[in-house]
Amino acid sequence: MENNVKTMMLGTGVAIPPKTLTNQDLEKIVDTSDEWIRERTGMQVRHIVDDETQNSDLSAQAAKQALKDADMDAEEIDTLIVATVTGDVTFPATACYVQDKIGAVNAAAFDIQAACSGFLFGLSIADGFVGTGKSKNVLVIGCELLTRIVDWKDRSTCVLFGDAAGAAVLGPANGDGRGILGTFMKTDGRLAHLLCMPGGGTRYPAQVAISENLNTLKMRGPEVFRAAVTAMGDAAAHILETAGLTVDDVDLLIPHQANKRIIDATVRRMKIPPEKVYINVHEYGNTSSASIPVALNEAKEKGLLKPGDVCVMVAFGGGFTWGSVAVRM
Ligand code: ACO
């Protein structure tokens, strides 16, 4: 299987806004409690951007750190992908602003939208591009400023989200077996209405959206929860099969950090020992497409992922989208 490895992860980076929002802070904004949030989600604190910071700022910060980690100059990147549902503007792509901010002058830059699965969809695209020789060095960024689009009057959603960015640089594998072992992506658009921001596009342009309160994130939580548990299990099973791995081969599982209960259910379904599962949802909340690259970078920094270790990442998000990637570090 490892002879098929075409794409290697060369570096990772993150950007975390310094300002925090605790459960106690949220108690002052909506009718909620620290106890309810901890029990239902596992969350304690999230990081939120100040009014001046844009998605492309956080993305650029994470990108620079990933480039440094990869010991690479921005000019060496030929493909720049930003996975986000909270871009700077409707168009052009946030990736264009990031390209300018980091000086990736030789890159084709574009955004992809797969909500919380965005970073893994980006890795999958990067693997395809590098594997076919279409690209050499690809920068994949997952960045969200979800606190800008939540409804601060809706306690069932506003307590869940935080802001962050994470990035990875990918390039050709060097033949030692390290790199992307497999990828899996899936979508079910019949369930798109369960988690979305309806306003601001062409269906409900900005002015209509504001007057009808459609310019904020809408989620039918319990339905999303049920679908997430099934989809995460599905994504985990597929990636083990695709990459020719067993649970015993996995050194670290990084699930999308949406809710501790969804993670626990995925862990039970996979029958993976809990000590092999990385969880930081208590520190960041749900940062959507940033959640996996932030966790990945953190796990590396803590020494939980050493060269040669197998890491499996599994995500689920609006769309619905779900997917998984296995990588030998
Ligand atoms: N504080 C206190 N009470 C609350 C809060 C809150 N913040 N939010 C809801 N409640 C109340 C409800 O009003 C309801 O009260 P009622 O029984 O009197 O009607 C009660 O708590 C239970 O509400 P449920 O929605 O059934 O609670 P649930 O256990 O399902 O937890 C949650 C809600 C946390 C949102 C859960 O459904 C969930 O995590 N869903 C999945 C979210 C997710 O994974 N999203 C991932 C994708 S995100 C993306 O793609 C951008």
Side-chain angles (χ1 to χ4, degrees), residues 219-273:
M219 180 172 77
R220 297 212 328 232
E223 282 138 296
V224 175
F225 189 97
R226 280 193 294 277
V229 170
T230 307
M232 296 271 280
D234 182 48
H238 268 94
I239 198 62
L240 293 180
E241 195 186 324
T242 308
L245 299 167
T246 67
V247 167
D248 291 341
D249 297 321
V250 180
D251 294 296
L252 194 68
L253 173 73
I254 299 184
H256 167 48
Q257 309 285 314
N259 182 317
K260 174 80 164 49
R261 287 155 57 212
I262 295 174
I263 296 173
D264 290 344
T266 306
V267 169
R268 282 196 298 275
R269 283 186 72 151
M270 276 185 81
K271 297 190 173 64
I272 187 167

Side-chain angles (χ1 to χ4, degrees), residues 32 36 40 116 155-156 195 219 221-222 258-259 261-262 286 317-318:
T32 190
W36 191 96
R40 300 289 177 123
C116 304
R155 68 177 181 173
S156 69
L195 175 54
M219 180 172 77
N259 182 317
R261 287 155 57 212
I262 295 174
N286 180 353

Side-chain angles (χ1 to χ4, degrees), residues 49-326:
V49 288
D50 59 32
D51 291 343
E52 283 73 44
T53 303
Q54 304 307 332
N55 182 314
S56 56
D57 297 319
L58 274 194
S59 288
Q61 196 184 327
K64 284 179 187 170
Q65 202 183 94
L67 286 165
K68 193 171 175 209
D69 191 37
D71 196 19
M72 192 180 284
D73 292 327
E75 296 86 38
E76 294 176 72
I77 296 295
D78 56 37
T79 309
L80 194 170
I81 303 170
V82 176
T84 189
V85 297
T86 50
D88 286 15
V89 295
T90 303
F91 84 89
T94 298
C96 303
Y97 298 107
V98 178
Q99 180 200 34
D100 182 38
K101 285 178 182 173
I102 67 171
V105 290
N106 295 312
F110 57 92
D111 289 0
I112 58 166
Q113 238 206 53
C116 304
S117 311
F119 181 74
L120 296 191
F121 276 39
L123 288 187
S124 192
I125 293 168
D127 184 37
F129 277 22
V130 174
T132 55
K134 191 161 187 60
S135 301
K136 186 171 178 215
N137 298 318
V138 184
L139 176 58
V140 181
I141 302 165
C143 180
E144 303 290 1
L145 272 55
L146 283 161
T147 65
R148 290 261 171 86
I149 64 159
V150 293
D151 181 349
W152 289 102
K153 294 191 182 74
D154 176 11
R155 68 177 181 173
S156 69
T157 52
C158 75
V159 303
L160 302 175
F161 300 102
D163 305 327
V169 176
L170 297 115
N174 67 5
D176 69 359
R178 289 183 300 139
I180 292 184
L181 305 174
T183 68
F184 168 74
M185 297 189 285
K186 195 83 190 281
T187 298
D188 186 348
R190 291 171 300 181
L191 303 172
H193 59 287
L194 296 177
L195 175 54
C196 59
M197 184 170 98
T202 51
R203 188 181 299 181
Y204 304 106
Q207 279 175 340
V208 179
I210 291 165
S211 64
E212 296 183 21
N213 189 30
L214 297 172
N215 60 324
T216 51
L217 182 148
K218 314 287 177 202
M219 180 172 77
R220 297 212 328 232
E223 282 138 296
V224 175
F225 189 97
R226 280 193 294 277
V229 170
T230 307
M232 296 271 280
D234 182 48
H238 268 94
I239 198 62
L240 293 180
E241 195 186 324
T242 308
L245 299 167
T246 67
V247 167
D248 291 341
D249 297 321
V250 180
D251 294 296
L252 194 68
L253 173 73
I254 299 184
H256 167 48
Q257 309 285 314
N259 182 317
K260 174 80 164 49
R261 287 155 57 212
I262 295 174
I263 296 173
D264 290 344
T266 306
V267 169
R268 282 196 298 275
R269 283 186 72 151
M270 276 185 81
K271 297 190 173 64
I272 187 167
E275 59 273 19
K276 283 189 174 186
V277 183
Y278 196 79
I279 300 178
N280 64 6
V281 67
H282 53 289
E283 289 178 86
Y284 301 105
N286 180 353
T287 60
S288 190
S289 66
S291 105
I292 287 181
V294 166
L296 177 67
N297 189 75
E298 218 172 63
K300 273 174 59 190
E301 283 183 346
K302 288 182 178 170
L304 298 173
L305 278 174
K306 294 176 284 303
D309 282 353
V310 172
C311 174
V312 167
M313 298 168 274
V314 184
F316 167 84
F320 287 157
T321 56
W322 59 104
S324 40
V325 172

